[in-house]
Amino acid sequence: MGLIDIRELLAMLRRLGMSLRVFAFVLFLNVLCVGFEIAGIGVLLPVFELLRAGGSASIDQLQGRHWEIMRSISAHVGIPITLSLLLAISFCFVLLRQLVKYFATRYIAGVRREIANKIRQRAFSRFLLSRKSLDDPSRMGVVMSVLQAELNRALDVPFAITQSVSILVQVVSYVGALFVLSPIMSLLSIVVIALVVVLARGFLVEIRLRGRNMTKVNTQIATFMVERLKHARLIRLSGTEKAETAAFYKLSRRLSEENLRQKLVATRMELALEPVAVAMAYLMLLVGSELFGLSLERLGLFTIVLIRLVPILRSVLSQYGTIIGTLPSLEKLDQYLTETWQTRETKGGSTVFTRLDQGIYYDHVTFTYPNSKMSALDEITVTIPAHRMSALVGPSGAGKSTMVDLLPRLRDPQSGCIRFDDTPINEFSMDSLRTGIAFVPQDPQILNVTAAEHIRYGKENASDDEVREAARLAGALSFIKALPEGFDTLLGDGGARLSGGQRQRLDIARALVRRAPILILDEPTSALDADAETAFRDALRTLRRETRLTIIVIAHRLSTIADADQVIVLRQGRVEAVGSHAELMPAGGWYANAIQQQHGGVVGVPSEALGVAVGGSL
């Protein structure tokens, strides 16, 4: 009908991993159902002929190739042909059709479930591995839409295709049966079918338009929900619950309206076309009886075939409408999977990263974000020594987080090189590189699991002793023991049973249990009070004393990192200064001014004095 590009449709199905063998088997089952149905109806012709001839006594006088075949089979097996036998055979074909149809329904349900699970797994995995997921957080709404509404609608397409093909086989078979009964009548049937298809085209175009609109609104609803649920606290504090609820209702209502309109169009198509098809069928019966003089038994069978052909033709159009209406969902799913595959991360090189002996070297590293005119990092050249604590400081937007993101290769620089000891970073396998870098975010993401389960996140096979040791090094052991069930205490959603400082130290324990040679702390004290910050600094001091970790800290609260072995000052994507706290303070510049602003003019004093000034020892 010109509404579907068959070649592109088959290509999409192949890209989605849908096995042609499976669908060929489904098609075989559907065609087998059709075959049994046609056979059951076909047996009715000799039944009608036998009834007209007056019963079983006249079997030998009945003429026709089909009677010769049946008499030959009867003589071979020794079973006489009777009216009851013919009816029983017809009924057996009906039973076989129902049994095959039941098996096909169960098989299709299982295949559909398995395909859906595999596609969901692939879609989720590709989202996690796609670089675009880092640059566009709003894509979470797209993922939710694809994994739920769009996937379910998309899977309607291949199964509707197999159903449509089997129904077309049924239509061709019935038209062929009409041809046997009367060639001229069969030609008239083809004309009727063509007329119905032409009349249906306008309805099908509108069904496809509604399908596209539903796909668009599904994505909008999923994106809206993800964003609003993520900011539920802000919405409540801002008093905008009614406005957000009204906005969601508007989107939800639009989706319902598009769905209703699509169903109404499909209903109008059926209501409009069926009277046309029935009228044409009645007209053909009249023509067959009055003009072509068909026998009573042939006219009766012709009537049965026509009665079956009309709903079958309606079913063909309904299945085609399903394909047209859900095809936009299939296209959306295919586009998402293709896009995430094309933007997937590389597996890296073949070298396994296990240790850092000398340091991390940034050599003229430049990175620019997509659609940005300014470089986030501009010709960065700096060394982070191994087994020491280095701090990255600077104003917001200076490039601190970008510089850290380059280490686990969440991003790759456009120019320059990063080396771990003497090995370029891109020669390490991605898995070993990320296993060797432990990361603690600014806001720990803690699920409603036990304290032990959270620490084991990322190393499921960690022993109880390893979990306890990681907790001790992170300064979390004492408060975990004080919990009602110790390490087996559920933490609540987001770690609700813990304070901010406790969540931070628990997350450090989660990073430490992996025994990675590099530890990255992103703004570890930005949300902590003075007591929690003091506890964190004590934990950091224990780490530096008892381990040989290479620690990198991103900090805005400079009291946290005043005794770091090295402070790297970034401004506008460039390295402004490198040195210890004692070296940077007399030199002035951004670091000295920031210390002065944060701590009330305490400039140029030793780090120990600075620790006292901000409420604790370093």
Side-chain angles (χ1 to χ4, degrees), residues 160 164 203-204 207-208 262 266 269 315-327:
S164 297
F203 293 105
L204 294 172
I207 287 174
R208 181 166 189 174
Q262 189 182 69
M269 181 177 69
S315 182
V316 169
L317 293 173
S318 177
Q319 291 294 334
Y320 193 79
T322 298
I323 297 171
I324 289 295
T326 55
L327 187 59

Side-chain angles (χ1 to χ4, degrees), residues 410-436:
L410 294 178
R411 311 179 192 281
D412 288 324
Q414 281 84 28
S415 64
C417 176
I418 300 175
R419 300 191 314 278
F420 283 12
D421 294 338
D422 296 324
T423 306
I425 195 172
N426 56 5
E427 293 185 10
F428 292 112
S429 67
M430 194 70 79
D431 287 342
S432 68
L433 187 65
R434 292 184 178 169
T435 300

Side-chain angles (χ1 to χ4, degrees), residues 277-291:
V278 171
M280 295 299 292
Y282 288 171
L283 179 61
M284 285 194 294
L285 285 176
L286 181 62
V287 171
S289 176
E290 299 294 331
L291 296 182

Side-chain angles (χ1 to χ4, degrees), residues 485-498:
E485 297 178 50
F487 281 90
D488 294 325
T489 304
L490 285 173
L491 303 175
D493 190 21
R497 303 190 68 164
L498 305 177

Side-chain angles (χ1 to χ4, degrees), residues 15 126 129-132 139 334-346:
R15 286 194 294 269
R126 289 187 180 183
L129 297 177
S130 172
R131 294 182 179 276
K132 294 197 71 172
R139 288 176 59 80
D334 177 64
Q335 178 189 2
Y336 168 80
L337 291 174
T338 300
E339 184 181 88
T340 50
W341 177 251
Q342 291 173 345
T343 59
R344 68 190 184 281
E345 290 184 322
T346 176

